[in-house]
């Protein structure tokens, strides 16, 4: 097993530096009201990935979408935009297995860049960022308004962590802290 954060010889043994966060955010406007945004980030996780997942709302009138409600334990349908590594766009869905019986199965529709655009070089995130900066394309950069909003959201949380000094949830490399899904 790989060591945890505090086992790294370059990290002070009494460090309480936050290395994992999972947040549920909501946007209070007409378009996004009631839509949860779950953001999770951490160091030393089992994979290095950046992606956006849109999980479709379960509907009781559609058994294939609401498979979880029927006790089948299948995940909700999701649209996943993998930013890197392994850039891709895919959709996980619950489908009925062909045949006379009603048997749901998780399926994936996959559009991976490396499969769709064979032989095409896709630079890493820093390469794309630097290229866009050189070309004057600001689309990969946050605006001043976005930056102010991020600080508005996260500054109180960081102050709360400093003030309350919560107990650190230790976990081995590649394993989510206990209680996180």
């Amino acid at each position: 097993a790989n060591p945890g954060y505090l086992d790294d010889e370059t990290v002070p043994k009494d460090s309480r530096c936050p290395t994992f966060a999972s947040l549920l955010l909501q946007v209070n406007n007409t378009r996004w009201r009631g839509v949860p945004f779950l953001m999770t980030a951490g160091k030393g996780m089992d994979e290095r990935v950046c992606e956006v997942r849109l999980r479709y709302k379960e509907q009781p009138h559609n058994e294939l979408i609401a498979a979880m409600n029927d006790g089948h334990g299948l995940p909700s349908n999701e649209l996943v935009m993998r930013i890197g590594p392994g850039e891709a766009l895919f959709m996980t869905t619950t489908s009925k297995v062909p045949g006379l019986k009603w048997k749901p199965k998780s399926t994936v529709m996959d559009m991976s860049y490396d499969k769709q655009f064979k032989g095409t070089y896709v630079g890493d995130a820093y390469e794309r960022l630097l290229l866009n900066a050189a070309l004057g394309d600001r689309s990969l950069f946050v605006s001043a308004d976005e930056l102010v909003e991020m600080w508005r959201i996260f500054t109180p949380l960081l102050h709360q962590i400093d003030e309350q000094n919560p107990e650190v949830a230790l976990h081995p490399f590649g394993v989510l802290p206990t209680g996180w899904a």
Side-chain angles (χ1 to χ4, degrees):
N2 290 318
Y5 176 73
L6 293 177
D7 297 320
D8 184 326
E9 58 191 46
T10 64
V11 174
K13 295 300 176 204
D14 61 347
S15 174
R16 297 179 61 79
C17 178
T19 60
F20 177 85
S22 189
L23 304 168
L24 175 66
L25 302 173
Q26 295 187 346
V27 178
N28 190 15
N29 67 19
T30 305
R31 172 178 274 175
W32 298 110
R33 191 172 293 114
V35 177
F37 290 83
L38 178 63
M39 298 183 179
T40 303
K43 292 185 176 192
M45 304 312 295
D46 60 347
E47 64 179 325
R48 182 182 175 133
V49 66
C50 179
E51 62 188 22
V52 176
R53 289 180 170 263
L54 303 174
R55 181 168 291 158
Y56 293 95
K57 190 183 286 186
E58 297 168 9
Q59 299 294 327
H61 63 273
N62 186 330
E63 289 185 13
L64 290 178
I65 292 176
M68 287 176 69
N69 293 339
D70 293 323
H72 295 286
L74 297 174
S76 299
N77 295 348
E78 289 183 318
L79 176 64
V80 181
M81 293 165 272
R82 168 102 19 107
I83 298 163
E87 293 77 2
L89 179 65
F90 57 95
M91 185 166 191
T92 61
T93 60
T94 302
S95 303
K96 180 188 171 295
V97 175
L100 297 177
K101 293 184 180 179
W102 192 89
K103 183 178 175 186
K105 179 182 181 194
S106 289
T107 54
V108 177
M109 290 184 275
D110 185 357
M111 196 297 287
S112 301
Y113 276 73
D114 61 347
K115 294 175 188 167
Q116 189 69 32
F117 306 108
K118 290 184 192 298
T120 302
Y121 176 74
V122 178
D124 69 18
Y126 290 110
E127 289 177 86
R128 293 190 306 263
L129 185 72
L130 291 171
L131 178 61
N132 279 21
L135 295 173
D137 180 350
R138 297 185 215 166
S139 62
L140 296 179
F141 297 88
V142 297
S143 69
D145 291 345
E146 290 170 315
L147 190 58
V148 167
E149 191 63 13
M150 283 188 273
W151 281 112
R152 184 191 70 75
I153 292 169
F154 290 105
T155 299
L157 175 62
L158 294 172
H159 286 305
Q160 183 179 359
I161 289 170
D162 286 343
E163 291 166 9
Q164 293 181 357
N165 199 20
E167 192 61 36
V168 177
L170 300 175
H171 60 95
F173 180 88
V175 178
L176 287 174
T178 304
W180 296 92

